[in-house]
């Protein structure tokens, strides 16, 4: 009996956005990220796409992106912002954006609620029917439980290091349908972008 197909292959390339050699996010699916640096994670993904990026925000959330702050990561002109009041409308807008992919990356910044399984399934189904590459990333609160039905769940937080001035983060894959949990230490430089920090 051949068991090779039952073994996970770290080097298998999945069609999607590849952040690191063993860290990728599949197209046409919903993904989730938590942590103090979840916005940095979203900007990292934004670096990997061409075209307009739709940023959906809860209207009551006063946190906005500073163009000068995000410029080292991505061109602010790529973003289209939508501030929405009702959570039902946030999920509807996300589904419609997935269904008609004018924007390859849809970032949904929500902190007051977690979407239920049914709307996530609807969004995933909408992505499965489109012929274009499109992806949803949910930026959720650490206080909320993980969203059911997402393809992958990530956590990103800063690494405070007084030895040098490089910005560093710990990226952790908490859950994935096709990959085991794993973590990486990464840094960012304005010329070279995000890079994995070799482990000791």
């Amino acid at each position: 009996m051949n068991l090779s197909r039952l073994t996970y292959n770290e080097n298998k390339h999945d069609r999607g956005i590849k952040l690191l050699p063993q860290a990728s996010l599949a197209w046409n699916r919903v993904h989730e990220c938590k942590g103090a640096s979840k916005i940095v994670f979203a900007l990292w993904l934004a670096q990997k796409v061409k075209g307009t990026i739709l940023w959906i925000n809860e209207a009551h959330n006063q946190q906005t992106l500073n163009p000068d702050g995000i410029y080292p990561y991505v061109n602010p002109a790529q973003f289209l912002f939508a501030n929405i009041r009702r959570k039902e409308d946030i999920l509807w807008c996300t589904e419609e954006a997935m269904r008609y992919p004018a924007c390859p990356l849809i970032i949904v910044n929500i902190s007051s609620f977690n979407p239920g399984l049914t709307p996530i399934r609807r969004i995933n189904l909408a992505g499965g029917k489109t012929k274009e590459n499109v992806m949803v990333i949910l930026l959720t609160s650490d206080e909320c439980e993980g969203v059911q039905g997402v393809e992958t769940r990530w956590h990103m937080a800063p690494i405070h290091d007084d030895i040098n001035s490089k910005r560093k983060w710990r990226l952790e894959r908490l859950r994935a349908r096709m990959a085991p949990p794993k973590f990486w230490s990464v840094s960012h430089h304005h010329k070279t972008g995000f890079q994995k920090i070799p482990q000791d």
Side-chain angles (χ1 to χ4, degrees), residues 108-153:
V108 186
N109 188 22
I110 52 177
S111 58
S112 65
F113 73 98
N114 258 16
L117 179 58
T118 298
I120 296 301
R121 282 180 172 171
R122 289 179 59 91
I123 297 169
N124 277 324
L125 285 172
K129 293 178 180 179
T130 182
K131 296 180 181 179
E132 303 295 328
N133 288 335
V134 61
M135 177 185 300
V136 171
I137 178 69
L138 304 175
L139 305 182
T140 59
S141 170
D142 283 346
E143 284 72 31
C144 294
E145 295 182 3
V147 178
Q148 295 184 11
V150 296
E151 185 75 9
T152 61
R153 181 176 300 119

Side-chain angles (χ1 to χ4, degrees), residues 166-185:
K166 280 187 178 180
R167 294 184 174 183
K168 298 179 180 179
W169 297 271
R170 176 186 167 98
L171 173 65
E172 186 174 2
R173 182 171 58 211
L174 300 175
R175 176 191 179 279
R177 293 182 184 275
M178 302 300 293
K182 190 176 179 68
F183 75 91
W184 301 263
S185 296

Side-chain angles (χ1 to χ4, degrees), residues 3 18 22 33 38 41 58 62 76 81 99-100 115-116 139 149 172 189 192 197:
L3 299 179
K18 190 174 185 179
Q22 297 174 2
C33 186
K38 60 188 177 184
F41 181 84
E58 293 176 288
Q62 299 299 313
F81 294 96
R99 192 183 309 278
Y100 304 103
L139 305 182
E172 186 174 2
H189 189 273
T192 58
I197 301 173

Side-chain angles (χ1 to χ4, degrees), residues 16-32:
I17 296 179
K18 190 174 185 179
L19 298 179
L20 295 169
Q22 297 174 2
S24 63
L25 288 79
W27 288 115
N28 307 108
R29 304 294 293 175
V30 180
H31 306 269
E32 179 186 8

Side-chain angles (χ1 to χ4, degrees), residues 29-137:
R29 304 294 293 175
V30 180
H31 306 269
E32 179 186 8
C33 186
K34 298 173 174 287
S37 299
K38 60 188 177 184
I39 290 179
V40 176
F41 181 84
L43 297 177
W44 189 358
L45 288 174
Q47 282 186 344
K48 303 288 187 176
V49 301
K50 294 180 180 180
T52 303
I53 300 161
L54 178 60
W55 186 286
I56 299 175
N57 207 43
E58 293 176 288
H60 68 269
N61 189 346
Q62 299 299 313
Q63 184 182 35
T64 59
L65 293 182
N66 183 323
D68 291 333
I70 68 173
Y71 190 76
Y73 304 101
V74 64
N75 185 351
Q78 286 185 255
F79 286 89
L80 174 66
F81 294 96
N83 293 322
I84 303 175
R85 293 182 180 178
R86 300 193 317 145
K87 66 179 182 180
E88 294 84 0
D89 293 336
I90 291 174
L91 300 174
W92 175 84
C93 183
T94 303
E95 181 181 343
E96 292 301 300
M98 187 75 126
R99 192 183 309 278
Y100 304 103
C103 304
L105 181 62
I106 305 157
I107 301 169
V108 186
N109 188 22
I110 52 177
S111 58
S112 65
F113 73 98
N114 258 16
L117 179 58
T118 298
I120 296 301
R121 282 180 172 171
R122 289 179 59 91
I123 297 169
N124 277 324
L125 285 172
K129 293 178 180 179
T130 182
K131 296 180 181 179
E132 303 295 328
N133 288 335
V134 61
M135 177 185 300
V136 171
I137 178 69

